[in-house]
Amino acid sequence: MSASTHAQPAQTDAGGQEAYFACRDIHAYYGESYIVQGVSFEVREGEIVALLGRNGAGKTSTLRTIARAHDPQLRSGEIWLAGQPLHRMPTHRAAQSGVQLVPEDRRIIPGITVEENLVVAQIAEPRGWSIEQIYEHFPRLAERRKQEAITMSGGEQQMLAVARALARDVKLLLLDEPYEGLAPQIVQEIESILREVKSLGITTIIVEQNAIAALELADRAVILDMGEVAYEGEANHVLDNQELRDQYLAI
Amino acid sequence: MSGDLINALFLQILTGLQLGMIYAMIALGLTLIFGTLGVVNFAHGALYLIGAYCAVIIAGKLGFLYAVILVPLILFVIGIILERGLIQYFYDRPHTDQILVTFGLAIVAEEALKWIFGANNIPYPVPSWGQGIVMLHEYVPFLSGFVVFPKWRLILILVSLVVIGALFFLLQFTRFGLVIRSGMRDAEMVRFLGINITRRFAAVFGLGALIAGIAGVFGGPITQVSPAVGMKMLVPSFLVVVIGGMGSVAGALIAAVVLGMALSFTAEYSSIQQIIIYLVAVVVLLTRPRGLMGKKGVFE
């Protein structure tokens, strides 16, 4: 990869304060295969960042690394959230520190009801919205509370996956392909939910194949290529820049 | 149907239930440990064995009721020590490594008990209130004539049902159970929700050992107490797990009853009884390769 397109130095907040969220030169591996190759970027409090790139650029792996999943294994680099060193934590501790991953394929837990999926999210401290608050915001989930969650439609499962994250005290929301496999009409519905999440001021990183949808929601964009940050800038700028779109996003 | 036939059938079913329940108590621990930790625990028969030996000693020195209380606690602690001290280092290793280490552990336990107590059966008397027979025809209306069953075996059935019922309640109706069931389906997602599922799974290992301990206390007088009994109990219990479906609690319970009945109803034909449980396993696995209630992707 050429130096000219390499990441611009990550910007720090005005006044030189520590960023709310930062990954610094993180390297992560699936077994011996080197997937995340020195990614660095920062996110300000309340900001939404779209993490973009072609298939295999390392987007999902980067999110999973931030959430401190067992795989890919983080071998070096630092991850900081609100002053806490996520890179030193196991998965459940990172989650308790406020990272909340809404994974690809939603990962609704099978064999239990909608409500039980929400209860499981509220076992560990610190909690976010109460189940009553969630039902107020998502009446559809209230209707289906006793249904086995995995039998709901894809859109409803995605709604539950987002609600489950809000049931925790979320400081950094990681959305992995929230529109994947959903019909266009349902995508609109999920988009409006995510705009509502945005209005709550929750700091968010969104990974999405549908880059335009992600950019319309996001304040800023970080583009990954071959496991590294290739571009970082305003979301609007990427939307308007055909060269960038051709080179990294093929849209 | 003649009265004699009804009497005989009833006794066969009761015997089958008693045989099945003792395997069920061991198999439930096995299947829970497999379903949560992914470990095939060949040392589970040894836990039954340790339970039985502890029961003999404690019952002899302090009285049977002390054994009922202390042995499950001791086994729970042994289970936790085993999981934290040894088994946890094998989670990421292949199943063959896990089988080797747990099988090795079973041999060590068996040989250690042989060294301390000798290779022979040691006497484990049934407490006085559990001795004798029950006149079933006095309690069960459709039985005629004279039908009796050993009291201790009835007690074993009742204790098993209570233990299994309590386990189902724990898994189905408590928060701990909800977390365990969720973790069995998607442990990583449960971790993403902030739960230290590994610690709770360790408690499940202790719970499995505890149930094996209860089985040892009440089953000991029936299966006898000798170092070889661990393996003798493990093999059918493991078949119960496989027939029921690896990791399935309900499957293990059904399979245990099926095997118990198969053993009971072939008791008069000892050559068939020797092979009947394997025959049932073959038929079930040929028609349902994942077992009665096995889930896709488990142990494949």
Side-chain angles (χ1 to χ4, degrees):
Chain A
M1 186 169 180
S2 73
S4 61
T5 54
H6 204 278
Q8 297 149 6
Q11 294 160 14
T12 43
D13 273 352
Q17 287 171 344
E18 285 290 295
Y20 187 67
F21 170 80
C23 340
R24 303 228 161 91
D25 196 26
I26 57 172
H27 298 259
Y29 294 72
Y30 277 109
E32 282 312 306
S33 86
Y34 184 23
I35 304 295
V36 180
Q37 309 182 349
V39 168
S40 300
F41 65 95
E42 300 187 350
V43 182
R44 296 183 204 105
E45 188 166 8
E47 190 177 46
I48 297 190
V49 166
L51 189 62
L52 304 175
R54 293 172 190 273
N55 274 335
K59 305 181 298 287
T60 292
S61 301
T62 301
L63 284 195
R64 288 178 54 84
T65 306
I66 294 169
R68 303 297 290 114
H70 193 269
D71 280 310
Q73 189 197 1
L74 177 66
R75 294 217 188 144
S76 71
E78 296 185 354
I79 306 167
W80 293 88
L81 174 63
Q84 302 170 95
L86 299 186
H87 52 278
R88 296 201 195 114
M89 298 178 185
T91 315
H92 69 276
R93 291 279 305 126
Q96 288 169 7
S97 300
V99 177
Q100 205 50 63
L101 176 64
V102 177
E104 209 177 0
D105 304 332
R106 307 176 274 269
R107 300 278 289 274
I108 298 304
I109 295 169
I112 62 176
T113 64
V114 170
E115 184 151 299
E116 285 172 327
N117 265 276
L118 295 171
V119 169
V120 170
Q122 297 212 310
I123 300 243
E125 301 275 356
R127 303 181 188 97
W129 287 8
S130 69
I131 291 179
E132 290 70 34
Q133 274 173 299
I134 288 169
Y135 286 157
E136 262 172 51
H137 275 80
F138 305 98
R140 192 100 59 86
L141 296 182
E143 286 166 27
R144 312 233 166 198
R145 60 203 292 175
K146 296 293 173 207
Q147 186 175 335
E148 190 185 343
I150 204 76
T151 63
M152 295 195 301
S153 71
E156 286 165 338
Q157 287 187 38
Q158 189 62 55
M159 193 185 286
L160 176 59
V162 173
R164 182 171 64 177
L166 296 176
R168 304 208 37 79
D169 182 17
V170 45
K171 291 196 174 77
L172 176 67
L173 184 63
L174 306 173
L175 297 169
D176 196 357
E177 306 272 4
Y179 306 136
E180 192 188 30
L182 301 181
Q185 227 178 331
I186 312 295
V187 167
Q188 279 179 12
E189 204 175 333
I190 301 298
E191 270 179 323
S192 77
I193 289 172
L194 294 183
R195 271 196 295 275
E196 202 181 329
V197 169
K198 181 178 183 174
S199 71
L200 296 168
I202 295 174
T203 313
T204 303
I205 302 174
I206 176 170
V207 161
E208 181 51 59
Q209 276 303 313
N210 181 351
I212 297 195
L215 288 165
E216 280 169 354
L217 189 75
D219 304 304
R220 272 188 324 120
V222 172
I223 300 179
L224 293 184
D225 191 39
M226 312 287 284
E228 298 179 2
V229 173
Y231 173 86
E232 195 174 348
E234 296 299 312
N236 289 333
H237 182 67
V238 181
L239 273 176
D240 300 338
N241 188 329
Q242 195 56 49
E243 200 183 321
L244 270 177
R245 291 169 56 161
D246 287 343
Q247 194 173 355
Y248 298 115
L249 306 174
I251 52 172
Chain B
M1 248 191 318
S2 79
D4 283 351
L5 187 59
I6 293 174
N7 291 354
L9 262 181
F10 186 78
L11 282 180
Q12 297 281 42
I13 288 170
L14 216 51
T15 305
L17 202 58
Q18 180 260 305
L19 288 168
M21 284 301 112
I22 193 161
Y23 292 134
M25 282 200 281
I26 299 173
L28 283 175
L30 269 177
T31 206
L32 264 182
I33 289 168
F34 180 78
T36 51
L37 301 164
V39 172
V40 182
N41 182 25
F42 273 73
H44 215 71
L47 293 172
Y48 172 87
L49 192 60
I50 294 169
Y53 272 94
C54 287
V56 171
I57 296 163
I58 295 173
K61 293 220 155 82
L62 300 172
F64 186 79
L65 286 180
Y66 284 93
V68 172
I69 295 162
L70 291 178
V71 173
L73 291 178
I74 293 170
L75 265 290
F76 182 78
V77 172
I78 289 176
I80 298 284
I81 292 172
L82 215 56
E83 194 277 338
R84 288 289 91 186
L86 185 66
I87 311 285
Q88 67 157 323
Y89 302 109
F90 287 83
Y91 292 153
D92 293 335
R93 304 272 286 267
H95 284 303
T96 45
D97 288 13
Q98 300 170 352
I99 290 170
L100 279 175
V101 73
T102 54
F103 198 78
L105 215 54
I107 293 171
V108 169
E110 186 176 328
E111 292 303 316
L113 288 169
K114 203 179 284 179
W115 184 51
I116 302 168
F117 298 97
N120 293 330
N121 181 31
I122 62 170
Y124 183 5
V126 168
S128 56
W129 48 264
Q131 288 170 1
I133 51 173
V134 177
M135 310 277 176
L136 289 176
H137 54 272
E138 290 178 8
Y139 303 100
V140 186
F142 55 80
L143 295 179
S144 52
F146 189 75
V147 185
V148 297
F149 198 75
K151 195 171 175 188
W152 189 251
R153 288 176 190 254
L154 272 186
I155 290 172
L156 177 66
I157 294 173
L158 289 178
V159 167
S160 311
L161 290 177
V162 169
V163 168
I164 292 163
L167 180 68
F168 267 81
F169 180 85
L170 181 73
L171 287 175
Q172 219 56 44
F173 299 109
T174 67
R175 284 192 158 219
F176 176 78
L178 177 61
V179 171
I180 296 300
R181 281 185 292 133
S182 302
M184 286 171 87
R185 301 303 291 270
D186 191 343
E188 184 182 57
M189 190 61 230
V190 172
R191 287 194 183 96
F192 284 143
L193 295 171
I195 296 171
N196 184 354
I197 192 72
T198 311
R199 207 183 60 199
R200 292 172 202 235
F201 282 172
V204 168
F205 197 100
L207 196 64
L210 181 150
I211 297 171
I214 297 175
V217 173
F218 287 91
I222 293 170
T223 63
Q224 301 196 323
V225 184
S226 75
V229 165
M231 279 300 162
K232 217 173 96 191
M233 296 305 290
L234 179 73
V235 174
S237 304
F238 195 68
L239 275 181
V240 164
V241 173
V242 173
I243 293 171
M246 298 289 290
S248 166
V249 172
L253 191 55
I254 295 168
V257 174
V258 168
L259 278 199
M261 293 304 163
L263 283 171
S264 166
F265 279 87
T266 54
E268 283 181 46
Y269 319 96
S270 75
S271 54
I272 295 178
Q273 199 192 21
Q274 299 280 321
I275 58 159
I276 187 71
I277 57 175
Y278 304 99
L279 210 59
V280 173
V282 167
V283 171
V284 169
L285 293 182
L286 279 177
T287 48
R288 294 183 67 90
R290 290 192 187 103
L292 294 171
M293 300 185 75
K295 296 197 179 70
K296 198 182 168 190
V298 177
F299 209 65
E300 287 178 343

